[in-house]
Amino acid sequence: MNGKTEIPFIRLTVRPFIQMNMLILKIISPTETIFNGEVKQVFFPGTIGLFEVLPKHAPIISSLAKGDITCALASGEEKKFPVASGFVEVNANNITACIEN
């Protein structure tokens, strides 16, 4: 050795800034991306009943029944998206809903 201490190289993955109290919601159908953005909360029409997802929700996968996905946008505006069937995955404040509408 030459007497120098080597510092290992650390690679960091940088994600775009997301507020800690927000969720990233992506709603897709077989033909298009219907919505992709930040939301405060989301209600889903689950096959065994309506359920709500808030930031820091536990990871889940659920089937969806006919109804509406209702979400509160970062601006406070409420949006609704009709669903005939589908499924949703929640993991680390990221939500992906694959739906038929």
Side-chain angles (χ1 to χ4, degrees):
M1 299 207 118
N2 59 9
K4 293 182 181 178
T5 304
E6 290 188 27
I7 300 173
F9 178 74
I10 299 172
R11 182 174 299 210
L12 300 175
T13 301
V14 179
R15 297 181 65 193
F17 175 74
I18 300 169
Q19 293 181 4
M20 292 303 292
N21 59 346
M22 299 299 282
L23 300 159
I24 299 299
L25 173 63
K26 185 173 187 178
I27 303 173
I28 58 174
S29 75
T31 58
E32 65 180 322
T33 297
I34 298 167
F35 179 82
N36 190 8
E38 288 187 356
V39 297
K40 294 178 182 180
Q41 71 184 104
V42 189
F43 289 91
F44 290 100
T47 52
I48 59 172
L50 187 68
F51 66 95
E52 178 182 20
V53 176
L54 294 168
K56 299 183 183 179
H57 195 287
I60 62 167
I61 295 176
S62 177
S63 55
L64 300 175
K66 185 173 183 168
D68 290 320
I69 296 173
T70 305
C71 60
L73 302 180
S75 66
E77 178 187 355
E78 182 179 286
K79 281 199 140 240
K80 291 189 176 197
F81 303 94
V83 177
S85 65
F87 67 92
V88 62
E89 177 187 25
V90 178
N91 191 10
N93 286 345
N94 290 291
I95 305 169
T96 302
C98 302
I99 66 167
E100 294 279 342
N101 54 356

